[in-house]
Amino acid sequence: MATEDNFIVAIELGSSKVTGVAGRKQPDGAIQVLAFAQEPSTTFIRKGRINNVSKMTQCIVSMREKLEQKMQKSISRVYVGIGGMGMHTVANTVARHFDSKVEITQEMVDAISDENRTSASADRDILESVPQEYHLGAQTTIDPVGILADSIEGHYLNIVANSSVREEIRNCFRTAGVTIADLPITVQALADSMLTEPEKRSGCVFVDMGAETTSVAVYKNNLLRHLAVIPLGGANINRDIMSLQIEDDEAEELKLKYGSAVQESDTDAHKPIALRDGRTIPYDEFMGLVEARVEEIVLNVKNQISLSNYDVSQLIGGLIVTGGAANIRNIDKAFTRDTKFEKIRFVRSIRIPLRTPDYPGLNNDGDCNAAIALIDKGEINCCGGTLGQPDLFDEPKDTEPEPSAEELAAAEAKKKAEEAEAQRKAEEEARIKAEIEERERERKEREEAKKKRRNKWKNSWKRMSNFFGNLVKEDSDA
């Protein structure tokens, strides 16, 4: 296949804007950006979740047309980042016990992994499962295959979200005629693109401060240990400022110009802030609104770190903070004050080199970080051929979206669980039937024994009656 017919398309569903990027991976690890499109999303995405299906579908159609027109190539499928309010991690344990020591095989590990995937509640989907460790008796390992043991206990960290989240996304893209290649978790893709290997190994906290959500991910020994999405972000600060009868765009401008996460000592001496309409507002009143909301967000981050069961002494990689809402003055002081982390690194853009000849300055402010990180994760070619020509994959536009690898694994796990449940029910029914038959047999035996005892007493009384009858007869004869 020609190089120009090989590219990956990623779409990030942000609370403030939807970003679409088409890019081609280069041999040196860089990404060449072929097309870029961005549209505001405040009217149809709230807290990272779709709340207006019609507008979301129109946005997808528009974005696809813009990307295709720029490249003059059709798009056969796209990667869509998933996230939003309600996504969090849940720990789960699955155990298997054997009659004697056996060699642990990959099939055994896969079997308990499949069982783990069926552990979600009816209203929750497991988006991804991260194996933490395996206990084999007194031994703990992350790679149990080949070890002799009489039991295996798998510990998993499941990333879960409301069961409607994936379905809402898939329905919108299906209606727009766009196939989904996969639904990677956005915050994980970002973390993989921004965190260094030493940070993940020694332990760190990754914080992505978005418009309406703040994602927190804790890593230790190169594994995700905790994840949660807090339904608070930069837009909450703006809405607080708007309570002073200020429009949203001016609130954003004032937040970046005058806002501070921690008030300076000379607040009282600061001049009032002049507004576009000629009014002024006291600086300390403005600062009080900003500082209070930032403090709430930071304290929620602190709470999630506590829930991870790791503390500052164990997370020596420190805090790594990114996102548009982190561009506020003195936010490092707020994090240090409330979380006690001294080591804080702020990241404006990802570490992946970009080649953007048609878009100079693209991603200077980091608003394409997530989409580019999703491209880096992608492996399936998204090109459908030259625009106006049949797709290279001969895939009809109204084809149902192909299930992702995660969904295929979940479906297979569900199928196995259903088969196991059917077998269990059959065995239970057979056991109950056998118990009923056994009780019936015992009842008949008791009835038979009782009948024999009655007959025995009946015969004994008959013999006694005959004996006394004969005695009376002998007396009368005498």
Side-chain angles (χ1 to χ4, degrees):
M1 180 182 293
T3 303
E4 61 269 18
D5 290 331
N6 197 328
F7 57 80
I8 293 170
V9 180
I11 295 180
E12 183 219 357
L13 308 179
S15 299
S16 62
K17 52 188 172 289
V18 174
T19 304
V21 177
R24 182 179 297 126
K25 295 182 181 181
Q26 302 297 299
D28 61 356
I31 292 177
Q32 178 188 358
V33 176
L34 307 175
F36 161 76
Q38 200 168 66
E39 295 193 9
S41 62
T42 53
T43 59
F44 54 87
I45 296 180
R46 287 296 309 277
K47 308 291 185 185
R49 298 273 302 275
I50 298 170
N51 72 339
N52 189 312
V53 174
S54 176
K55 290 184 177 180
M56 180 73 251
T57 303
Q58 292 171 16
C59 175
I60 296 167
V61 173
S62 172
M63 188 155 291
R64 176 180 184 171
E65 290 176 351
K66 290 177 181 177
L67 296 174
E68 287 183 336
Q69 286 298 326
K70 173 63 180 175
M71 296 186 294
Q72 286 299 297
K73 299 287 182 181
S74 65
I75 295 171
S76 64
R77 51 177 60 82
V78 299
Y79 285 85
V80 184
I82 190 169
M85 178 178 64
M87 189 171 71
H88 63 282
T89 49
V90 177
N92 188 48
T93 302
V94 180
R96 286 281 189 279
H97 299 278
F98 312 107
D99 295 333
S100 60
K101 282 193 173 184
V102 298
E103 181 181 346
I104 302 300
T105 64
Q106 187 60 52
E107 288 73 19
M108 294 177 184
V109 176
D110 292 342
I112 63 173
S113 177
D114 290 343
E115 182 177 338
N116 168 66
R117 288 186 177 277
T118 65
S119 64
S121 58
D123 62 339
R124 296 282 178 183
D125 278 347
I126 296 178
L127 304 179
E128 188 173 329
S129 179
V130 183
Q132 301 290 290
E133 60 188 15
Y134 297 91
H135 293 181
L136 296 91
Q139 186 175 353
T140 300
T141 180
I142 58 173
D143 184 13
V145 175
I147 298 176
L148 292 174
D150 56 8
S151 67
I152 178 172
E153 185 178 276
H155 291 250
Y156 299 92
L157 191 69
N158 296 328
I159 304 174
V160 303
N162 191 289
S163 56
S164 64
V165 172
R166 273 197 301 200
E167 195 56 35
E168 288 168 355
I169 295 174
R170 295 186 70 85
N171 285 341
C172 288
F173 277 81
R174 183 184 298 116
T175 304
V178 179
T179 300
I180 294 177
D182 199 4
L183 290 163
I185 296 171
T186 303
V187 65
Q188 278 195 297
L190 270 174
D192 289 344
S193 298
M194 291 183 171
L195 299 180
T196 65
E197 192 71 19
E199 285 172 337
K200 278 189 173 183
R201 185 176 60 252
S202 60
C204 66
V205 182
F206 180 70
V207 182
D208 179 22
M209 303 182 69
E212 292 195 334
T213 60
T214 297
S215 301
V216 182
V218 178
Y219 290 85
K220 181 71 175 180
N221 295 329
N222 292 318
L223 290 174
L224 177 70
R225 302 298 184 173
H226 181 77
L227 185 147
V229 178
I230 302 165
L232 294 170
N236 294 91
I237 303 173
N238 288 9
R239 282 192 280 271
D240 291 341
I241 299 172
M242 289 166 63
S243 67
L244 301 173
Q245 284 72 54
I246 299 173
E247 292 296 326
D248 185 37
D249 62 334
E250 186 176 9
E252 175 70 15
E253 180 185 319
L254 294 175
K255 178 183 70 176
L256 296 177
K257 185 176 181 179
Y258 298 104
S260 176
V262 177
Q263 290 196 41
E264 284 101 356
S265 56
D266 61 345
T267 299
D268 294 337
H270 204 288
K271 295 179 181 180
I273 298 174
L275 305 181
R276 293 176 184 174
D277 60 7
R279 293 183 297 124
T280 62
I281 56 174
Y283 181 78
D284 58 344
E285 182 179 358
F286 173 85
M287 275 301 306
L289 292 172
V290 174
E291 184 180 29
R293 184 63 76 177
V294 172
E295 182 179 17
E296 182 184 12
I297 295 172
V298 174
L299 288 176
N300 271 277
V301 171
K302 177 187 177 183
N303 182 56
Q304 291 303 323
I305 298 172
S306 299
L307 292 174
S308 74
N309 295 320
Y310 289 95
D311 57 32
V312 178
S313 64
Q314 297 168 298
L315 303 171
I316 59 177
L319 281 173
I320 294 85
V321 185
T322 190
N327 297 326
I328 189 168
R329 196 157 35 96
N330 291 327
I331 193 153
D332 55 333
K333 295 180 180 178
F335 272 110
T336 300
R337 178 194 66 197
D338 295 329
T339 68
K340 308 307 177 189
F341 276 86
E342 296 288 343
K343 186 177 182 181
I344 303 176
R345 181 168 69 92
F346 287 86
V347 183
R348 182 174 290 274
S349 59
I350 59 178
R351 294 182 290 119
I352 302 169
L354 295 181
R355 299 206 175 111
T356 58
D358 294 337
Y359 301 96
L362 181 73
N363 205 42
N364 282 350
D365 58 357
D367 61 349
C368 294
N369 281 338
I372 295 168
L374 294 172
I375 289 177
D376 189 54
K377 285 287 185 184
E379 296 179 350
I380 301 173
N381 183 18
C382 298
C383 179
T386 303
L387 197 60
Q389 300 296 320
D391 283 357
L392 293 176
F393 300 98
D394 294 323
E395 184 176 31
K397 297 302 178 186
D398 59 350
T399 299
E400 287 290 308
E402 296 179 0
S404 67
E406 288 290 328
E407 290 172 318
L408 288 173
E412 182 64 23
K414 183 178 180 182
K415 180 181 177 182
K416 290 181 180 180
E418 289 174 348
E419 292 173 351
E421 179 66 11
Q423 182 178 352
R424 187 193 66 77
K425 286 183 177 179
E427 292 174 352
E428 181 68 10
E429 289 173 359
R431 183 186 64 79
I432 293 173
K433 183 179 179 182
E435 288 180 354
I436 292 173
E437 291 176 350
E438 178 65 18
R439 286 197 295 269
E440 182 65 16
R441 184 185 63 78
E442 291 176 351
R443 186 187 66 78
K444 288 181 178 180
E445 289 179 353
R446 288 195 299 271
E447 287 292 327
E448 186 66 25
K450 188 175 180 181
K451 183 178 180 181
K452 288 180 179 180
R453 286 196 299 273
R454 282 200 304 267
N455 289 337
K456 180 178 179 181
W457 280 106
K458 187 176 180 181
N459 292 334
S460 298
W461 279 108
K462 186 175 181 180
R463 287 196 299 271
M464 291 179 67
S465 177
N466 290 338
F467 174 75
F468 285 113
N470 291 333
L471 288 178
V472 172
K473 184 177 179 181
E474 290 174 1
D475 288 342
S476 62
D477 290 343

